[in-house]
Amino acid sequence: MTPAQTTRLLPQAYRPLFAHAGFKRLLPALAASDLGDGMSVVAVAWLAIEIAPPGRSGLLLGAALAAYALPGALGALLFGRLLRRLPAARLLAADSRIRAVLLGCVPLAWATGLLHPVLYVALLAGSSVLHAWGNAGRYSLVAQMLAPEQRLAANALLSSSVSASIVIGPALAGFLAAVVSPAWLIGLDALSFAVLAVQVGRVRAPGGEPVTEPKPGSEAGSEAGSTSEAASEAGTGAHGGAVTGSDGPSAGLQLLRGQPELLGVLALTWFFNFLYGPAEVALPLHVTDDLHAGAGLLGLYWALFGAGAVLGGLAAGALRRFPLWPVTLGIVAGWGFALVPFGLGASAPVTLACFTLGGLIYGPFTALSYTLFQERTPAAWLTTVLAARSAALLTAGPVGTALGGPLIALMGPRGVLAASGIATVALAVVGAAVRIRSTRRPASRPVHGSGPCGGAARP
């Protein structure tokens, strides 16, 4: 079967993406790095346990997992003045190179007997320090490469890749860890980022030139009329120039203050992730304490959730015909309703079905959120705003997870799962009320004349 025949088998929304040479070259490298990160979820923890001094495994495990994730928020704040003007491709390549080099040092240090716990944590922390900027560069680069009507489908593929890596990566790491040291699995993750760095450098615009960030004042950098005006009110130049005295994410947050719609999506996403945190803590205890089952059932819950999220994410490409806000709020409410049966004493088969459905409902959320940011933000400011988004959202999950422990002590695992679901439904209701109220005010001029899902800018 020829590539053209294979492309015709794809859903209509995805066919133009695989006809785009740059995106078709970049997607496998992004998917490989996602898979590497999925394997590292297990490998980082397992290696920490292996090299920890006696009686210190829990301390090193917590430090390693925190070092692999949290420095990204710090890097988003500290390096804003230096990085916010760099093209998206250079940001993604820089993050990929740093992760390739520092994660690649882990197996080398382990093989030579030099992998002290302090060195291990330092390498993990250094590898993640630019990750918020790299993630912002990923979605900014896609927005620059593709036409606006293709972005939702592209975002759906990227978010589905992440969801698939959550399912496949840990399972593959568990299998390989029985054969090789987890240090070598981290080395595979490093190799995947090295490949990504090379592929990003090969990406070209349709005219054959390297993909570069639109410059402030260019047509692309000022394509969003009303958004650029908001940028001016936030302290920027009329076409996305620098915010005086502001750095990276703080400058992005200044711009967001002039864009209530984007700020609303960010707030909704933050609270959505925050309310998910207690459920993540409660599910393992629900399996052990309420259902009296083992790790196999817990793994099945997450595998089915991940499979549903992959399918739901791929379905996002077909949602351009629907207005964004009703779909987004429906996703939030649907996930909340999927958790409520846990609190009603439902059996394991019923809650497994609900968790699968919850993953299917949740799947399109990330793609829809990124698409809105891409279409409502001036091109010259997109990377800065997405870095601000990443930095803000990095705090939501840990705060919710930390709250989960005390809540479980008060309510029990089953009660926490139900309460998380009810609170999430309430969040969707509050979001809908705020949205309805905002639409009754005089509407601002739309960015492209259409909303990110193909409907009017104001559903």
Side-chain angles (χ1 to χ4, degrees):
M1 184 176 292
T2 66
Q5 291 173 324
T6 303
T7 300
R8 283 197 291 270
L9 296 176
L10 296 171
Q12 181 65 38
Y14 296 104
R15 292 177 192 172
L17 301 179
F18 289 91
H20 190 289
F23 184 82
K24 188 166 60 174
R25 179 182 295 122
L26 186 62
L27 182 62
L30 291 171
S33 69
D34 289 337
L35 180 61
D37 277 345
M39 291 194 297
S40 287
V41 169
V42 171
V44 165
W46 200 255
L47 183 58
I49 293 172
E50 284 190 357
I51 68 172
R56 298 291 184 89
S57 58
L59 180 62
L60 181 58
L61 176 60
L65 293 177
Y68 194 60
L70 293 182
L74 186 62
L77 296 172
L78 292 180
F79 302 120
R81 187 180 296 276
L82 176 65
L83 300 177
R84 61 181 171 150
R85 294 183 179 88
L86 292 182
R90 288 185 62 185
L91 286 174
L92 179 56
D95 175 53
S96 300
R97 292 185 188 115
I98 288 175
R99 289 176 79 80
V101 171
L102 295 183
L103 292 179
C105 288
V106 171
L108 295 178
W110 177 83
T112 56
L114 299 176
L115 191 60
H116 188 275
V118 174
L119 176 61
Y120 182 48
V121 171
L123 290 172
L124 293 176
S127 73
S128 66
V129 75
L130 291 187
H131 207 41
W133 288 100
N135 190 60
R138 167 189 295 216
Y139 285 92
S140 297
L141 180 59
V142 167
Q144 294 165 22
M145 292 170 60
L146 302 174
E149 64 272 11
Q150 297 173 345
R151 292 171 183 169
L152 180 58
N155 293 336
L157 288 177
L158 297 186
S159 62
S160 296
S161 171
V162 174
S163 297
S165 73
I166 295 172
V167 179
I168 301 172
L172 182 59
F175 172 77
L176 293 176
V179 182
V180 299
S181 167
W184 296 115
L185 302 184
I186 296 175
L188 288 178
D189 192 14
L191 179 62
S192 73
F193 278 103
V195 172
L196 177 58
V198 172
Q199 290 296 82
V200 170
R202 298 175 61 197
V203 169
R204 293 291 185 269
E209 296 297 323
V211 177
T212 58
E213 192 87 2
K215 296 180 180 180
S218 67
E219 181 181 355
S222 57
E223 63 182 359
S226 61
T227 313
S228 297
E229 292 167 7
S232 297
E233 296 171 4
T236 70
H239 301 295
V243 178
T244 304
S246 297
D247 291 338
S250 60
L253 290 174
Q254 274 191 321
L255 178 62
L256 288 174
R257 282 203 296 269
Q259 282 291 293
E261 187 176 19
L262 292 180
L263 198 60
V265 173
L266 181 58
L268 179 70
T269 307
W270 195 95
F271 282 105
F272 192 21
N273 291 352
F274 166 74
L275 292 173
Y276 168 80
E280 187 175 24
V281 177
L283 183 62
L285 294 175
H286 171 68
V287 170
T288 57
D289 297 355
D290 298 332
L291 300 179
H292 307 290
L297 181 59
L298 178 62
L300 184 59
Y301 272 108
W302 286 119
L304 292 176
F305 171 84
V310 171
L311 294 176
L314 292 173
L319 295 178
R320 287 199 62 89
R321 70 191 71 176
F322 301 107
L324 172 72
W325 273 100
V327 173
T328 303
L329 293 170
I331 289 171
V332 175
W335 167 251
F337 281 122
L339 291 181
V340 171
F342 283 88
L344 302 178
S347 63
V350 172
T351 53
L352 282 168
C354 289
F355 216 57
T356 306
L357 179 61
L360 186 67
I361 293 170
Y362 170 78
F365 184 85
T366 301
L368 292 171
S369 174
Y370 271 112
T371 302
L372 177 59
F373 272 84
Q374 289 168 341
E375 297 198 359
R376 292 295 193 272
T377 306
W381 277 94
L382 182 57
T383 303
T384 299
V385 169
L386 290 182
R389 177 191 183 277
S390 296
L393 294 182
L394 278 172
T395 64
V399 172
T401 301
L403 186 62
L407 288 177
I408 290 171
L410 290 174
M411 306 169 62
R414 186 172 278 154
V416 169
L417 286 164
S420 174
I422 293 170
T424 303
V425 173
L427 173 65
V429 172
V430 171
V434 172
R435 182 64 182 166
I436 291 171
R437 182 179 178 184
S438 69
T439 56
R440 290 175 179 171
R441 298 173 181 172
S444 61
R445 189 171 65 215
V447 176
H448 294 295
S450 63
C453 289
R458 296 286 182 178

